[in-house]
Amino acid sequence: MKKALIVQGGWQGHQPKEVSEIFRVVLEEEGFEVEVSDTLEAFADAEKLLGLDLIVPVWTMGEIDKQYAKNVSEAVQSGVGLAGCHGGMCDSFRNNVDWQFMTGGNWVAHPGNDGVEYVVNIKGSTSPLVEGIEDFTVSSEQYYLHVDPAVEVLATTRFPIVEGPHSLNKAVDMPVVWTKRWGVGRVYYNSLGHQANIIDIPQVKLLMRRGFLWSAEGKTQASNNASATAAYSGMGDSQV
């Protein structure tokens, strides 16, 4: 049985407990043994993290101990999957650039705040993560992110819709769903999920389900890439 760890907490406006409960049910439906923790101390045991198949952070803002972030990073580098959504993964720890490097991006704004109606455009991709999913409209926060150019973008949304200081720039297609690699680990992110009702949208829940499975599958393939699993040593400046 595959093992998943959900760590929920931080800013309560994102309903971390409710979102985590949806994720727990999805993962158990897929045969995972799921542990849900409400403390970042869940990241303290490096050996335990290495034994997981999937880590799901649901933690907006706050601060993380640099050793905890290092433990998660090394677990993912070894093949453990990392998957999450919205501020629970890419607005987790604003002062930790290592986390941002690993996850592939960081939230910077949501012009218009909650309730903006916008289209999520599924890119023409052969990825099974978006197979059969058509473009859909949501009414929620529209995330503007600073994004790692190395990610593989699977869905986008068009800016600007709501006026703001960004509006006089040319229109841009902002990533909504992406994947990337961290060592031999698989990383999946979906910027949707402001609250539990957004996660419950069928397309969003399906995207998350597929993202969890894809990320966790990387663990079984990590042994074929053992040379890439050495812990990354380039984080010194950001750990001062």
Side-chain angles (χ1 to χ4, degrees):
M1 179 177 287
K2 290 184 177 181
K3 296 182 179 180
L5 171 66
I6 300 173
V7 180
Q8 67 86 18
W11 184 63
Q12 294 299 301
H14 280 161
Q15 299 181 337
K17 289 184 178 180
E18 293 85 347
V19 170
S20 294
E21 178 60 16
I22 295 172
F23 289 167
R24 181 191 66 78
V25 171
V26 168
L27 288 166
E28 289 184 347
E29 288 174 348
E30 296 295 340
F32 283 77
E33 176 186 328
V34 183
E35 176 186 350
V36 180
S37 175
D38 60 2
T39 173
L40 293 176
E41 291 181 7
F43 295 146
D45 189 337
E47 289 301 315
K48 180 178 178 180
L49 295 181
L50 289 169
L52 298 172
D53 295 278
L54 180 66
I55 297 170
V56 181
V58 188
W59 197 289
T60 302
M61 294 186 281
E63 296 184 5
I64 189 170
D65 182 279
K66 64 182 181 182
Q67 185 61 49
Y68 293 178
K70 185 173 184 287
N71 291 346
V72 175
S73 174
E74 291 184 355
V76 177
Q77 290 174 62
S78 78
V80 178
L82 182 70
C85 73
H86 202 62
M89 190 166 109
C90 283
D91 188 22
S92 295
F93 312 113
R94 296 178 182 178
N95 65 342
N96 192 292
V97 295
D98 299 339
W99 187 271
Q100 296 161 22
F101 192 10
M102 174 176 63
T103 59
N106 195 61
W107 171 87
V108 293
H110 43 63
N113 299 311
D114 195 13
V116 175
E117 185 172 289
Y118 61 97
V119 177
V120 176
N121 300 113
I122 305 299
K123 292 182 69 70
S125 171
T126 58
S127 171
L129 292 173
V130 294
E131 184 178 358
I133 301 176
E134 302 293 334
D135 295 353
F136 60 98
T137 300
V138 296
S139 180
S140 184
E141 291 180 338
Q142 186 185 31
Y143 260 22
Y144 203 104
L145 301 122
H146 285 174
V147 180
D148 183 346
V151 304
E152 179 180 356
V153 178
L154 303 180
T156 63
T157 185
R158 175 57 64 96
F159 277 89
I161 290 178
V162 175
E163 290 299 314
H166 65 302
S167 298
L168 292 182
N169 298 297
K170 66 179 181 179
V172 297
D173 291 319
M174 179 60 56
V176 172
V177 179
W178 69 68
T179 61
K180 69 170 289 184
R181 305 303 175 103
W182 189 246
V184 295
R186 296 179 175 187
V187 178
Y188 175 89
Y189 177 69
N190 186 333
S191 73
L192 299 167
H194 176 59
Q195 292 184 332
N197 65 314
I198 301 299
I199 296 295
D200 261 334
I201 295 171
Q203 296 97 323
V204 180
K205 185 180 285 188
L206 178 58
L207 285 166
M208 292 306 304
R209 183 185 299 269
R210 290 178 175 178
F212 292 149
L213 294 174
W214 177 84
S215 299
E217 285 170 4
K219 181 71 178 286
T220 62
Q221 301 180 19
S223 60
N224 298 325
N225 298 279
S227 61
T229 63
Y232 176 56
S233 61
M235 296 181 173
D237 289 346
S238 59
Q239 295 290 2
V240 176

